[in-house]
Amino acid sequence: MTAQTFGTGASSDRTMHWHGINWAQCYREVRRLQARIVKATQAGNHGKVKALQWLLTHSFSGKALAVKRVTENQGRRTPGVDGITWSTPKSKLAAVLSLKRRGYRPRPLRRIYIPKANGTKTRPLGIPCMVDRAQQALYLLALEPVAETTADPNSYGFRSARSTADAIEQCFRALARDSSASWILEADIRSCFDEISHDWLIAHIPMDKAILRGWLKAGYLHNQILHSTEAGTPQGGIISPTLMNMTLDGLERMLRAKYCSGRTHPLKVNIVRYADDFVITGVTREALTDVVRPMVERFLAERGLSLSPEKTRITHIDDGFEFLGMNVRKYGGKLLIKPARANVQRFLRKLRQTVKVSASVRQDQLIRKLNPLLRGWANYYRHVVSKHIFQAVGHAVWQCLWNWARRRHPNKGAGWVRRKYFRTVGAQHWVFGTETGTTLSSGEPELLKLYDIAGTPIRRHRKLKATANPFDPQWERYFEDRLGLAMLDSLKGRKQLIRLWLDQARSCPVCQQMITKSSGWSLCHVIRKIDGGKDTPGNLVMLHSECRRNVRALGLSVVKPARSDGLCKARAECGETRMLRSKGAAAP
């Protein structure tokens, strides 16, 4: 294996190994170009933006990161119409070297249909070939800085560092006061991804027009029949959400220009958008019906879109409305945001079905199935008024598990069943848990227990600043602080992991990128347990999951030096070849 240094130009002809790529340098080079694109966009220098985009899409660093993204996501094993996937280091490196604009022609998408949330309708989904996914990921690296710089301030769907919690918090700010608007236009765009005008996209999206036209006109293959596409973005494509967002950007600016004059805001028209779902507030029903809605419809018509009659309605805040799985309503003048009743019932049905199909599995296996569901659902709703609902869900889960345990032992008494499946932990006497067989340092067996959803703390979400741009270097410290706080919150109560994360300067020693709650992480032993290593902090290093897989796949060892340099470095050794990943240093 040979590690080599490279810049932003075309890839070298020298032979290299996929695992020998200096990922830290790749991220730095792409980040530098993206920052320059942001600066050129802010200055209105469209020619420079185009030139910088060309540099990024023709750079080795951009191509390597594009292939890395499409070969590490959840759909990496799902092929397109050509049946090809990139699963080996050799095929990944070959893919990087083969990504070229000249001679590239997108292939049709493989069309499948997935059920919608209501269970009665299906949603079309297109699966591009691996090479098309990589090309889209590559051009997205150059387009996303422009999209973030020109985006509407209160657009939150499919955007870096933004979430549904930000959108809900903005709803609270727009509606919570006594003087806030009382009427809400709930809007939903009909078949947004499928009906966007191709002519509008080609004329207004600032990227390579020939490449974009090829993706839009590629068509799709269903039941061995090729269908053409006359409108819409490539569903299932990596770049499609960004194209959709850029299509809808400008709606908020149009409304503000119409209804906001300096500090005066008589009609109190505010918009909060998440992807193609949005709500608009207004003082009166007539203002939303006669003025705002026609403006929105004209804006959408220029882009080939229209509002869905079934899902678009105007409601009063005292009657409440549902947005992103939340029920937003005023009770006696006080705004409360709660989990929507339909979402609670849907979640309970999913839990009960999971328990029902697990009638014969071991208790520890059932707990490992349920914990991610409970924790994920609780984390989604822990920023709103959810305490009573969490308690009700926790009681429903207990009833379900108690029935599961009793059915397994119909000839045993309730006391025997309780002692077998439930434990006492502190002041809690009905904890569904079991010993795993692992002994802790204190000499006691480790207890695997069900996540306590009723004990989830309710904390108000700190909304992201509307003008924050993750690609602008001026905001870099702001985003790092937010990611750090989120990571510390996820590690709360695990002091050893927090100390380990801080000792590593909060970054992965292999790729030098920040370890965050969203990126995920894995612990790697400096001395493997099979060689006598222990689970002590001095023998552990925190890596990204994919970086850990790469280290283990090559049979490498990780060396953790002393903390005196302030940054944990990882040295991987394989035979006579060494890869050193240190901040600001290229691979030797």
Side-chain angles (χ1 to χ4, degrees):
M1 174 173 53
T2 304
Q4 74 180 53
T5 305
F6 43 81
T8 59
S11 58
S12 172
D13 293 333
R14 294 171 57 189
T15 304
M16 67 167 66
H17 194 280
W18 170 258
H19 295 297
I21 296 176
N22 189 339
W23 294 111
Q25 184 170 343
C26 283
Y27 283 111
R28 283 196 303 272
E29 295 292 349
V30 170
R31 182 76 178 179
R32 182 178 63 84
L33 284 173
Q34 289 177 330
R36 294 178 64 189
I37 291 173
V38 169
K39 186 176 180 180
T41 304
Q42 292 171 342
N45 192 340
H46 303 296
K48 189 172 183 179
V49 169
K50 185 176 180 180
L52 291 170
Q53 287 181 326
W54 189 94
L55 280 176
L56 201 159
T57 54
H58 287 73
S59 68
F60 181 91
S61 298
K63 295 176 182 179
L65 290 181
V67 173
K68 180 179 173 65
R69 174 174 180 176
V70 301
T71 56
E72 293 179 2
N73 59 19
Q74 293 183 351
R76 61 186 179 273
R77 297 187 180 92
T78 305
V81 294
D82 58 358
I84 296 175
T85 58
W86 301 331
S87 56
T88 64
K90 184 177 180 180
S91 61
K92 295 176 185 178
L93 182 61
V96 174
L97 302 177
S98 67
L99 287 184
K100 298 179 180 178
R101 183 186 185 280
R102 178 173 295 180
Y104 169 64
R105 184 176 181 181
R107 298 190 179 185
L109 283 70
R110 181 163 69 91
R111 174 64 64 91
I112 62 174
Y113 292 88
I114 58 176
K116 290 187 176 181
N118 55 22
T120 59
K121 296 182 179 180
T122 59
R123 176 182 288 108
L125 180 67
I127 302 176
C129 299
M130 291 296 294
V131 64
D132 294 329
R133 293 180 223 174
Q135 289 280 12
Q136 289 187 22
L138 175 60
Y139 280 86
L140 180 60
L141 289 173
L143 179 63
E144 203 168 10
V146 181
E148 285 293 330
T149 306
T150 60
D152 285 342
N154 290 304
S155 165
Y156 300 98
F158 301 122
R159 291 183 63 188
S160 178
R162 284 166 168 78
S163 65
T164 54
D166 293 306
I168 293 299
E169 180 63 20
Q170 180 61 24
C171 285
F172 181 86
R173 295 185 180 188
L175 297 168
R177 297 186 181 90
D178 293 337
S179 58
S180 298
S182 301
W183 291 91
I184 298 94
L185 169 64
E186 304 175 64
D188 181 85
I189 301 174
R190 182 176 58 190
S191 303
C192 182
F193 281 95
D194 295 330
E195 296 185 5
I196 301 177
S197 169
H198 284 180
D199 293 336
W200 192 94
L201 287 172
I202 294 171
H204 293 87
I205 300 300
M207 65 168 291
D208 191 308
K209 306 300 183 183
I211 295 293
L212 177 60
R213 185 181 290 105
W215 290 335
L216 297 177
K217 301 298 184 181
Y220 64 91
L221 201 64
H222 182 59
N223 292 332
Q224 304 300 320
I225 300 176
L226 179 62
H227 301 267
S228 61
T229 49
E230 302 301 329
T233 60
Q235 278 255 18
I238 293 175
I239 204 171
S240 295
T242 301
L243 295 178
M244 184 271 297
N245 268 334
M246 297 187 75
T247 302
L248 299 180
D249 284 336
L251 178 59
E252 181 176 357
R253 290 191 293 271
M254 179 190 70
L255 293 175
R256 286 188 176 276
K258 174 72 175 179
Y259 295 105
C260 297
S261 177
R263 293 188 176 183
T264 61
H265 195 182
L267 295 183
K268 301 174 184 177
V269 175
N270 299 286
I271 180 173
V272 182
R273 180 168 66 86
Y274 190 91
D276 58 341
D277 294 330
F278 58 91
V279 295
I280 302 177
T281 66
V283 173
T284 63
R285 185 185 189 99
E286 291 72 19
L288 293 177
T289 304
D290 301 334
V291 183
V292 174
R293 180 166 180 170
M295 286 182 62
V296 173
E297 290 177 339
R298 287 194 297 271
F299 177 89
L300 296 176
E302 294 176 2
R303 293 152 174 79
L305 301 172
S306 60
L307 294 177
S308 172
E310 300 83 8
K311 299 181 181 180
T312 302
R313 61 184 66 89
I314 297 176
T315 57
H316 195 273
I317 190 61
D318 291 340
D319 298 326
F321 65 96
E322 293 188 1
F323 184 54
L324 302 178
M326 312 283 184
N327 179 265
V328 185
R329 181 180 175 185
K330 274 189 176 180
Y331 298 83
K334 183 176 182 180
L335 183 69
L336 297 180
I337 303 178
K338 304 177 181 180
R341 183 185 298 273
N343 289 48
V344 176
Q345 296 300 324
R346 188 183 305 116
F347 177 66
L348 288 177
R349 285 196 298 270
K350 184 177 182 179
L351 286 179
R352 290 174 179 135
Q353 181 64 22
T354 302
V355 174
K356 183 178 180 180
V357 299
S358 305
S360 60
V361 304
R362 297 196 313 266
Q363 184 181 6
D364 62 322
Q365 294 175 338
L366 178 60
I367 293 175
R368 289 188 174 96
K369 281 184 178 181
L370 294 178
N371 275 353
L373 299 177
L374 291 167
R375 185 177 290 108
W377 196 81
N379 286 339
Y380 184 80
Y381 288 107
R382 68 188 178 121
H383 302 299
V384 297
V385 185
S386 307
K387 195 65 178 179
H388 292 299
I389 293 178
F390 284 170
Q391 292 173 349
V393 169
H395 181 67
V397 172
W398 177 87
Q399 285 183 320
C400 185
L401 293 175
W402 176 250
N403 293 333
W404 174 85
R406 291 298 304 270
R407 282 196 300 268
R408 289 167 68 93
H409 306 281
N411 298 325
K412 297 290 185 178
W416 186 93
V417 173
R418 175 184 174 178
R419 289 190 296 272
K420 179 174 178 60
Y421 291 103
F422 295 88
R423 301 291 183 269
T424 298
V425 179
Q428 296 178 302
H429 299 285
W430 284 88
V431 177
F432 189 73
T434 182
E435 288 75 17
T436 61
T438 304
T439 304
L440 301 175
S441 56
S442 60
E444 298 180 356
E446 182 182 8
L447 179 66
L448 176 65
K449 58 182 181 180
L450 189 73
Y451 177 77
D452 180 21
I453 190 171
T456 303
I458 305 299
R459 296 176 182 171
R460 185 168 177 176
H461 176 71
R462 182 196 292 180
K463 180 182 173 295
L464 187 81
K465 293 183 179 179
T467 56
N469 186 340
F471 298 98
D472 191 339
Q474 296 180 358
W475 291 95
E476 186 173 1
R477 181 66 179 271
Y478 174 76
F479 281 101
E480 286 183 353
D481 291 343
R482 284 184 62 90
L483 292 172
L485 290 174
M487 185 67 175
L488 287 174
D489 183 60
S490 67
L491 297 177
K492 189 174 182 180
R494 308 167 76 177
K495 295 182 179 179
Q496 290 185 349
L497 288 179
I498 293 176
R499 185 177 181 85
L500 181 63
W501 181 64
L502 294 175
D503 286 343
Q504 297 180 192
R506 307 189 297 179
S507 61
C508 172
V510 175
C511 66
Q512 294 299 315
Q513 297 303 297
M514 191 173 180
I515 296 177
T516 65
K517 179 182 177 182
S518 59
S519 70
W521 49 271
S522 295
L523 292 178
C524 184
H525 290 83
V526 176
I527 302 175
R528 301 181 65 179
K529 296 188 71 173
I530 195 173
D531 298 324
K534 298 182 179 179
D535 294 330
T536 58
N539 191 46
L540 293 173
V541 63
M542 189 180 285
L543 308 176
H544 288 129
S545 298
E546 187 63 27
C547 293
R548 182 182 183 275
R549 281 194 291 269
N550 291 341
V551 168
R552 290 306 185 212
L554 293 174
L556 308 179
S557 61
V558 179
V559 178
K560 181 180 180 181
R563 302 181 210 156
S564 58
D565 58 356
L567 176 65
C568 176
K569 302 175 183 177
R571 180 181 300 157
E573 301 180 358
C574 180
E576 298 179 355
T577 304
R578 297 181 179 182
M579 294 186 298
L580 178 63
R581 298 288 186 261
S582 60
K583 195 168 185 178

